[in-house]
Amino acid sequence: MDTFRFFPLLVVAFVLGAVAYKLLVLKVVVPEGFTTLLYRQGRFVRALTPGAHRVLRQGHGTQQVDMRQRYLTVPGQDVLSQEQVGLKVSLAVRFAVAEPEPALHRVQNFTEALYLAVQLALREEVGRHPLEELAAGRVDLGQRMRERVAGEVRAFGLSVEAVEVKDVMLPADLRRAFAESLKAKKEAQAMLEKARGESAALRNLANAARLMEEHPSLLELRMLQTLGSASTTPGNTFVLGVGPELTSLGRRRPARGSTPRPPSEGDEPEST
C-alpha cells in the first residue's frame, strides 16, 4: 500500500532527474574526419576525437575542426623573374590540419595565413631563377615551395602535402620569342643528325673502297651476290661489259689452209 502511494513521487523524481540531466549534460557527437575542441569558460580544455562525448553544459563550449585534406587554389600571381621580367604563375596547394589547437588559436584564419605564405614563397623562389629555366621547366618550383611553405605553416598546425604549379604564363612577345628559339634549336638538331648520318655513310663507303682495293675478289663476290638476289625478281635485265681478252678468244678461227685477213679500220669485232 505504501509502495503505491510513493510510486507517483518516484516517477516525478525520475522525470525531474532526466530533465536536469538534459539541462546539465551536453552530448557531443564528433563525426569521422573531424576533431572538436572543448572549452570551459572560454579556455581550451581538450580535443574530442570522433565518437560520442558527454560534458557539462554549464560554462562549456565546442568548436569543430575539419581534419580532412583540402585544396587551396592560388590564381595567377604577377611575379618577377631574376631578369625582372613579369610573368603569371598559378598554384594548387594540398594541405590538411595536423594540430587543430594551434590552427585555431595561433592565427585568426589558418587558410588566409597559408595563402599569404604561398604568395611570399612564390615571389622569392621565382626571383631566384632566370626566365629561361622557369619557362623550360628545369626548376622544380613546386617541390621547392612545398619545403619552404611546409616549414612556415607547421608552426600553426598545418601540414602541406604538395604544391603543384598549374600554369606559367609569359607575355605575348616572350612567348613568340621562345617559340622561335625552340624552332631554331629543333631545326639545328635535325641538321646535325643529318650531317652525322651522311658522315657515317661516307665512312662506310670509304672503308668498303679500301677493302675492295686491298682484296679485288670482293668486288666479284659482291657482283655475284647482287645478281643472285635480283634473279628472283622477274623483269630485270643486266648488261655486263666484256673485257678485251674475252673478246679475242671469242673471234672465229679461219679455216685450215686459208690465210686470215687482218682486220681493217671499218670492220667490227665479231661476236659469238
Side-chain angles (χ1 to χ4, degrees):
M1 198 66 183
D2 294 336
T3 304
F4 288 103
R5 189 190 316 169
F6 289 105
F7 182 74
L9 296 177
L10 294 175
V11 173
V12 173
F14 178 78
V15 173
L16 292 177
V19 172
Y21 180 81
K22 287 287 186 180
L23 294 176
L24 297 177
V25 178
L26 174 67
K27 182 180 179 181
V28 179
V29 178
V30 183
E32 193 68 36
F34 292 80
T35 296
T36 299
L37 302 184
L38 178 64
Y39 299 88
R40 184 175 183 274
Q41 301 295 337
R43 297 180 63 87
F44 173 69
V45 177
R46 60 190 175 94
L48 304 179
T49 57
H53 305 268
R54 288 176 173 81
V55 297
L56 292 176
R57 185 184 299 272
Q58 185 65 29
H60 286 81
T62 59
Q63 187 166 359
Q64 196 174 76
V65 182
D66 190 347
M67 305 292 291
R68 297 171 297 179
Q69 283 191 353
R70 63 187 80 180
Y71 288 86
L72 174 66
T73 300
V74 181
Q77 302 292 306
D78 294 320
V79 291
L80 297 177
S81 66
Q82 194 177 59
E83 304 90 348
Q84 299 300 307
V85 176
L87 64 157
K88 283 188 176 183
V89 182
S90 59
L91 305 170
V93 184
R94 188 172 77 247
F95 73 101
V97 177
E99 301 178 25
E101 190 268 333
L104 293 186
H105 300 161
R106 295 186 183 178
V107 291
Q108 182 179 10
N109 188 314
F110 58 82
T111 304
E112 294 180 357
L114 175 62
Y115 189 94
L116 180 60
V118 171
Q119 281 185 316
L120 297 178
L122 176 63
R123 284 175 170 79
E124 184 170 348
E125 288 296 331
V126 171
R128 291 180 177 179
H129 303 282
L131 181 62
E132 185 177 0
E133 292 183 359
L134 296 172
R138 294 198 295 267
V139 179
D140 194 353
L141 189 61
Q143 180 62 23
R144 291 175 178 269
M145 291 191 57
R146 194 203 71 81
E147 296 174 357
R148 177 185 175 88
V149 174
E152 294 181 2
V153 301
R154 193 178 297 116
F156 47 90
L158 297 186
S159 173
V160 177
E161 303 297 333
V163 177
E164 300 293 340
V165 178
K166 296 175 62 178
D167 296 301
V168 177
M169 295 167 282
L170 303 175
D173 53 346
L174 287 179
R175 287 200 300 269
R176 288 193 298 268
F178 272 103
E180 293 175 358
S181 175
L182 181 60
K183 180 180 178 181
K185 288 182 180 179
K186 295 298 182 182
E187 291 177 351
Q189 290 177 358
M191 294 177 63
L192 180 60
E193 292 298 327
K194 182 179 179 181
R196 288 175 178 173
E198 292 177 351
S199 299
L202 291 176
R203 283 195 300 268
N204 293 335
L205 290 175
N207 293 334
R210 184 170 60 253
L211 288 175
M212 290 182 180
E213 184 179 359
E214 295 175 355
H215 306 281
S217 60
L218 292 177
L219 183 60
E220 298 178 4
L221 293 175
R222 179 59 178 166
M223 181 182 67
L224 293 176
Q225 182 183 8
T226 303
L227 291 175
S229 61
S231 63
T232 58
T233 305
N236 292 330
T237 303
F238 296 92
V239 179
L240 301 178
V242 181
E245 65 278 2
L246 298 180
T247 306
S248 61
L249 293 176
R251 291 174 182 172
R252 295 180 179 178
R253 294 182 179 181
R256 180 177 295 182
S258 63
T259 303
R261 181 177 61 85
S264 61
E265 295 183 355
D267 293 342
E268 296 182 355
E270 298 179 357
S271 60
T272 58

